[in-house]
Amino acid sequence: MVMKEPSRDDFPALGREIDGRALSYLVNGATTLKPRSVIRAVCGYYESNGANIHRGSTGSPRRRPTRTSPPAR
């Protein structure tokens, strides 16, 4: 797998403008921006595997979640 350097295009939040200027972001310990790949993976999880595995009597909650993308490095 080929890894690429992240760019502004990978982070939807950086596509915004404030007063006609591109949004800047400084990393801090409280929160981080999520790249598009993480947003897609989280959405995919909630769309198909959002139930607690130990609750419910249907087959859906008993299914183990599957990874929708390779782990981040």
Side-chain angles (χ1 to χ4, degrees):
M1 183 164 107
V2 176
M3 299 298 293
K4 70 178 187 84
E5 289 294 317
S7 71
R8 291 183 70 83
D9 295 337
D10 294 327
F11 297 86
L14 294 178
R16 297 189 341 226
E17 288 187 0
I18 297 177
D19 295 330
R21 294 181 163 178
L23 182 68
S24 294
Y25 178 78
L26 302 175
V27 175
N28 65 52
T31 188
T32 59
L33 294 178
K34 308 300 184 272
R36 188 169 273 108
S37 60
V38 170
I39 294 168
R40 277 195 303 258
V42 170
C43 287
Y45 169 79
Y46 283 117
E47 287 173 351
S48 61
N49 299 305
N52 184 325
I53 196 167
H54 298 292
R55 305 239 174 166
S57 59
T58 65
S60 177
R62 294 183 187 161
R63 253 189 8 247
R64 289 184 54 225
T66 58
R67 183 175 295 278
T68 58
S69 63
R73 293 186 181 238

